Amino acid sequence: MAKNFNEMTWKEFDIAFMVTNPGCSADYRTGDWRSQKPVTDKSKCIKCGVCYLACPDDAIRLAADGTYDFDYDHCKGCGICATECWTGCISMVEEEK
Amino acid sequence: MAKRIGIEVSLAISEAVKLANVDAIAAYPITPQTHIVEHLSELVADGELQAEFIPVESEHSAMSVCAGTSAAGARTYTATSSQGLALMNEILFIIPAMRLPVVMTIANRSLSGPISIWNDHSDLMSVRDTGWIAIFAENGQEAFDLTLQSFKIAEDHRVMLPISVNIDGFTLSHVIEPHEFLDQAEVDSFLPPYEPLVQLNPDKPVSMGMVGIPEIYFEAKKAQDMVLIESKAVIKEVFKEFGEKFGRYYHVIESYRTDDAETLLMTMGSISETAMEAIDIMKDEQGRKVGLIRLRLWRPFPHEELRELLRGVKTLAVVDRAVSFGSPGGPVATEVRSALYNSENAPYVASFIAGLGGRDVTIEHFTTMVDMAERMAEQREVHEYKMIGVRE
Ligand code: SF4
Ligand code: SF4
């Protein structure tokens, strides 16, 4: 992962803050302003994949056992996955410091 | 070999732009700048200059096109005046932030209202804080020479900033003067082709003009100011190289008969010629200890050089040709006072505003300013500014 913007001094940026390396948000943590995060009670999960399809941020990953994990570097905490989950096994919990 | 040619200053500037072999020109005609780009369009149409001449529907577009052509790696030139410069304003801020070395002649003209096509410096002062390097020419020869030097300064990889070369509208732009031209080989030996530091190129993609989120905007502005401040060293280098090559030396502040002077006049632009005559009369006929300094470089402001030049000077009369409405002095005088404020033995600074909207500034006006400044200095009069030549 590239160095975060808020860790760089004015001398470390490219000329005129141009972006000289094409890239995308995969290189950065974009989920750091989230106030709530989704957590799954995996004992109730039926592995249907609805949460995976519903996430607008592509922040849900298929785990080895067929359930789904969250990519907290990119999850924005919108709660759509929790709303869409059939079994109600995803709940939104407050972020802690 | 250099030729001596009698030519209108505007046309001499166009010829300098041609000799600089620009790739792109975008401009909208506005009085009193018009002759410059008119002549350039002829040079392009006649095939004498291989460049894209891009006619646009406004100055806002002219400066936008300049941003594009410069980002694409083209040596880019434009010229404007007054309301045209005001209309460019939004893009003027973006050009230095994107580090695009555009060169622009500003034929200085007062801003409306009332509507005025005549000369003063209110147009440039309105864009003081956009981040452009700003240089003042006093006569046609300087305008020609500084145009060529500007490309070299702007395109230096340590700089990569836009420059405005300021010439007084009509009083300079429309007069015919003798100019020592340089020939193409001489210019080529001084000014290499433009090599962009980064450019828009599909084979090597970059994104320019990025969003400055709060995490980086502050750093972006610091970086921009540092490069502008540090450009002064490169400007001096280029002035020196030009002088050594062609025998005409330029300085960030020029001084005229300042040896043993206790009172100095300070001017910018073409009124300096009249000021020199006033100094000659005061020195030679009245034996007064006066001298003149004229500011060549307005941005970055040459603070250290100013403090150096003012050592031993008791009184400084700064002549502004613009009003900074509601401020404690003319824009230049305010700058000078602030540059001197914490230095020891700083001279008394008197702020005068003269020659607004094309009003003549005469030898008598300069003498009056020197008289007044000396009297005010003696009484340590606390004052904001005084207007000279206005009917009370
Ligand atoms: S909270 Fe929103 S962003 Fe985060 S995983 Fe669920 S759907 Fe995706
Ligand atoms: S939507 Fe609910 S039940 Fe279905 S895979 Fe996701 S967490 Fe499991």
Side-chain angles (χ1 to χ4, degrees), chain B residues 140-150 180 242 248 250:
Chain B
Q141 186 66 56
E142 291 189 1
F144 178 88
D145 292 347
L146 289 170
T147 302
L148 288 168
Q149 292 173 77
S150 287
E180 296 267 350
F242 188 90
R248 289 191 293 273
Y250 288 81

Side-chain angles (χ1 to χ4, degrees), chain B residues 14 16-26 40 44 48-55 65-66 68-78 101-103 151 155 191-196 199:
Chain B
S14 315
V17 173
K18 185 191 109 178
L19 286 164
N21 210 358
V22 298
D23 303 305
I25 302 155
L40 279 168
V44 172
E48 281 186 54
L49 170 59
Q50 300 293 324
E52 288 292 330
F53 189 94
I54 304 157
V65 167
C66 287
T69 56
S70 186
R75 178 170 282 167
T76 299
Y77 175 82
T78 188
V102 175
V103 173
F151 285 102
E155 293 167 4
L191 181 66
Y194 172 38
E195 272 183 37
Q199 79 192 102

Side-chain angles (χ1 to χ4, degrees), chain B residues 9-310:
Chain B
V9 172
S10 289
L11 306 194
I13 292 168
S14 315
E15 292 290 334
V17 173
K18 185 191 109 178
L19 286 164
N21 210 358
V22 298
D23 303 305
I25 302 155
Y28 190 81
I30 182 164
T31 301
Q33 163 273 121
T34 320
H35 290 185
I36 301 173
V37 288
E38 246 173 31
H39 189 59
L40 279 168
S41 76
E42 283 165 10
L43 291 171
V44 172
D46 295 346
E48 281 186 54
L49 170 59
Q50 300 293 324
E52 288 292 330
F53 189 94
I54 304 157
V56 284
E57 88 295 351
S58 78
E59 283 87 351
H60 188 276
S61 303
M63 195 40 78
S64 302
V65 167
C66 287
T69 56
S70 186
R75 178 170 282 167
T76 299
Y77 175 82
T78 188
T80 195
S81 284
S82 185
Q83 308 302 122
L85 184 64
L87 188 50
M88 286 176 173
N89 190 272
E90 184 195 6
I91 318 298
L92 291 178
F93 284 88
I94 297 171
I95 305 265
M98 287 175 67
R99 305 281 300 275
L100 300 173
V102 175
V103 173
M104 167 164 68
T105 305
I106 305 176
N108 298 117
R109 164 187 150 186
S110 48
L111 280 172
S112 300
I115 298 169
S116 165
I117 59 165
W118 292 274
N119 163 244
D120 65 30
H121 294 163
S122 51
D123 55 358
L124 182 74
M125 290 307 159
S126 77
V127 300
R128 189 187 63 179
D129 298 334
T130 51
W132 284 58
I133 297 172
I135 293 184
F136 273 82
E138 179 187 310
N139 55 39
Q141 186 66 56
E142 291 189 1
F144 178 88
D145 292 347
L146 289 170
T147 302
L148 288 168
Q149 292 173 77
S150 287
F151 285 102
K152 186 155 174 140
I153 294 164
E155 293 167 4
D156 189 294
H157 282 192
R158 292 164 293 172
V159 179
M160 297 300 289
L161 286 173
I163 291 198
S164 66
V165 181
N166 292 267
I167 61 159
D168 283 317
F170 291 117
T171 47
L172 200 52
S173 63
H174 283 54
V175 298
I176 295 173
E177 285 185 8
H179 294 78
E180 296 267 350
F181 268 46
L182 299 175
D183 63 31
Q184 192 65 59
E186 286 172 315
V187 173
D188 291 348
S189 77
F190 172 74
L191 181 66
Y194 172 38
E195 272 183 37
L197 201 51
V198 220
Q199 79 192 102
L200 294 176
N201 178 347
D203 295 333
K204 212 170 157 260
V206 294
S207 289
M208 294 185 178
M210 304 307 296
V211 172
I213 54 175
E215 283 85 346
I216 65 155
Y217 186 87
F218 203 175
E219 281 69 26
K221 293 293 113 175
K222 164 92 180 172
Q224 192 187 330
D225 195 31
M226 289 312 290
V227 80
L228 180 59
I229 290 167
E230 283 163 10
S231 72
K232 194 177 69 184
V234 179
I235 294 167
K236 286 173 143 182
E237 256 176 51
V238 171
F239 283 174
K240 187 155 174 270
E241 188 191 331
F242 188 90
E244 281 163 2
K245 270 206 151 85
F246 307 119
R248 289 191 293 273
Y249 288 88
Y250 288 81
H251 306 279
V252 294
I253 305 178
E254 308 280 346
S255 39
Y256 180 72
R257 301 190 71 180
T258 52
D259 294 342
D260 80 2
E262 290 177 358
T263 301
L264 291 187
L265 272 169
M266 182 171 184
T267 54
M268 269 197 328
S270 64
I271 58 164
S272 313
E273 306 252 306
T274 318
M276 284 185 203
E277 280 189 53
I279 294 295
D280 287 344
I281 291 170
M282 282 185 271
K283 267 191 127 83
D284 301 338
E285 294 175 17
Q286 301 160 9
R288 298 176 67 169
K289 292 188 169 177
V290 292
L292 170 73
I293 53 177
R294 54 194 175 97
L295 202 54
R296 159 97 56 230
L297 188 62
W298 167 237
R299 278 294 182 275
F301 191 83
H303 303 272
E304 295 109 19
E305 291 78 0
L306 179 72
R307 284 191 283 263
E308 187 63 35
L309 273 171
L310 292 181

Side-chain angles (χ1 to χ4, degrees), chain A residues 28-35 72-77 95:
Chain A
Y28 298 95
R29 286 199 304 269
T30 59
D32 54 1
W33 41 268
R34 182 180 56 230
S35 61
Y72 290 122
D73 278 346
H74 296 95
C75 164
K76 307 295 186 294
E95 279 286 348

Side-chain angles (χ1 to χ4, degrees), chain A residues 6 10 13 15-19, chain B residues 97 197 206-207 210 216 220 222:
Chain A
N6 50 14
W10 63 274
F13 290 93
I15 177 174
F17 291 73
M18 278 173 210
V19 175
Chain B
L197 201 51
V206 294
S207 289
M210 304 307 296
I216 65 155
K222 164 92 180 172

